[in-house]
Amino acid sequence: MTQQTTLDHELKARHRAMWASGDYSAVAGDVIPDLGRVLVQALEIRVGDHVLDVAAGTGNAAIPAALEGGRVVATDLTPELLEIGAKEAAAQGAVLTWSEADAESLPFEDGEFDTVMSCVGVMFAPHHQDSADELVRVLRPGGSLGLVSWTPQGFIGQLFAALKPYAPAPPPGAQPPPLWGDEAHVRGLLGDRVTDVSARKELLEVTCFARPEEFRDFFKAAYGPTIAVYTSLGDDADRIAALDQALVDLAAQHDLGNGRMQWEYLLLTARRS
């Protein structure tokens, strides 16, 4: 095993542990429950379509796709999230397959799927070109690709900007997740392998945090990337307090009144050439 391969394995192990921490199912189910349905509707998934959801988490897009009649395979690097998703799917009467898989090395044949999608998922894989290559590879010619990604200038993009001064330096080659919310970046990743590209910025209404402090406390306890940064600070009380205040300030800046926020995302669809 080469040194680079070893480093990649260690990086993926950290990512897996990060997303297993906290309570991402609460983020997906309570904060952004409508986002997956937006993607499924944009893709117009039909009965019998063979659908792959990459970095599916707990299934906020995979489950609605299955309920529309798609033959869905939901994959994620973190098996703990898949287990939660499987229980939620059963509760909703959705039938789909759950499979642990790395977005940068998918265990599927070329052109195997009619539709490939990812809802604020694949954007967190560290090597963007590797992930994009895999999304395209497993999609049949003429098949549909759909992505929802947080934008750099939107709320979650700004959350990552707020976390950055407190976080350890990223490993060489790892790219910032919100770049997937930049249309030019995604077009560059996909190149001429796709056609009929449609990209538009949309706003997700978020109303579950009455005060900025509620947002901070929830994301500090439930959201893996935020938990990882706080963990890296150890017992440094001053830096913890500074990050606490930074997150409160961020939420306050985006509060439109009565705890209402709008989180910007990029919805991009395309067809495999």
Side-chain angles (χ1 to χ4, degrees):
M1 185 178 291
T2 67
Q3 182 181 13
Q4 185 58 50
T5 301
T6 300
L7 292 174
D8 283 345
H9 277 295
E10 292 173 352
L11 175 59
K12 298 298 173 62
R14 290 198 298 273
H15 272 236
R16 188 180 294 111
M18 177 182 73
W19 289 109
S21 66
D23 186 2
Y24 186 73
S25 62
V27 178
D30 298 337
V31 184
I32 59 170
D34 297 330
L35 207 52
R37 288 190 286 272
V38 168
L39 180 56
V40 170
Q41 290 169 3
L43 288 167
E44 298 181 346
I45 292 171
R46 297 177 175 85
V47 174
D49 285 351
H50 199 194
V51 180
L52 176 66
D53 189 358
V54 178
T58 54
N60 66 330
I63 294 172
L67 292 173
E68 289 294 329
R71 296 183 294 117
V72 180
V73 178
T75 68
D76 201 275
L77 187 67
T78 305
E80 291 89 343
L81 299 185
L82 297 176
E83 292 172 7
I84 295 169
K87 292 176 182 177
E88 180 60 28
Q92 294 190 38
V95 178
L96 60 157
T97 300
W98 302 86
S99 178
E100 182 179 345
D102 181 353
E104 297 178 3
S105 182
L106 294 170
F108 305 109
E109 299 296 324
D110 295 358
E112 186 170 340
F113 295 91
D114 301 309
T115 300
V116 174
M117 63 181 183
S118 186
C119 182
V120 295
V122 75
M123 64 181 292
F124 293 101
H127 307 110
H128 294 187
Q129 191 63 64
D130 291 346
S131 299
D133 291 348
E134 286 294 273
L135 294 176
V136 174
R137 180 184 67 78
V138 300
L139 181 61
R140 68 166 175 80
S144 299
L145 173 67
L147 304 168
V148 165
S149 309
W150 302 120
T151 64
Q153 64 272 23
F155 181 77
I156 296 296
Q158 290 303 298
L159 169 64
F160 279 91
L163 293 172
K164 185 176 179 180
Y166 302 91
Q175 294 175 280
L179 279 178
W180 278 89
D182 178 89
E183 179 183 347
H185 179 71
V186 182
R187 283 180 177 269
L189 294 174
L190 300 173
D192 61 3
R193 297 173 297 177
V194 299
T195 186
D196 298 332
V197 177
S198 171
R200 65 180 188 267
K201 294 176 182 177
E202 301 282 357
L203 295 171
L204 176 71
E205 194 88 359
V206 176
T207 58
C208 51
F209 304 113
R211 299 179 301 111
E213 290 81 4
E214 287 186 16
F215 160 77
R216 177 201 61 202
D217 294 344
F218 179 86
F219 265 61
K220 191 174 177 178
Y223 193 55
T226 313
I227 294 169
V229 173
Y230 273 101
T231 299
S232 74
L233 297 179
D235 297 325
D236 191 331
D238 290 341
R239 284 174 63 76
I240 290 171
L243 180 53
D244 279 348
Q245 190 59 51
L247 297 189
V248 167
D249 292 344
L250 175 68
Q253 290 163 13
H254 286 78
D255 189 343
L256 300 176
N258 298 318
R260 176 173 163 262
M261 291 191 281
Q262 292 181 326
W263 296 4
E264 186 180 75
Y265 61 91
L266 180 72
L267 172 62
L268 185 143
T269 59
R271 291 198 176 277
R272 171 78 190 273
S273 299

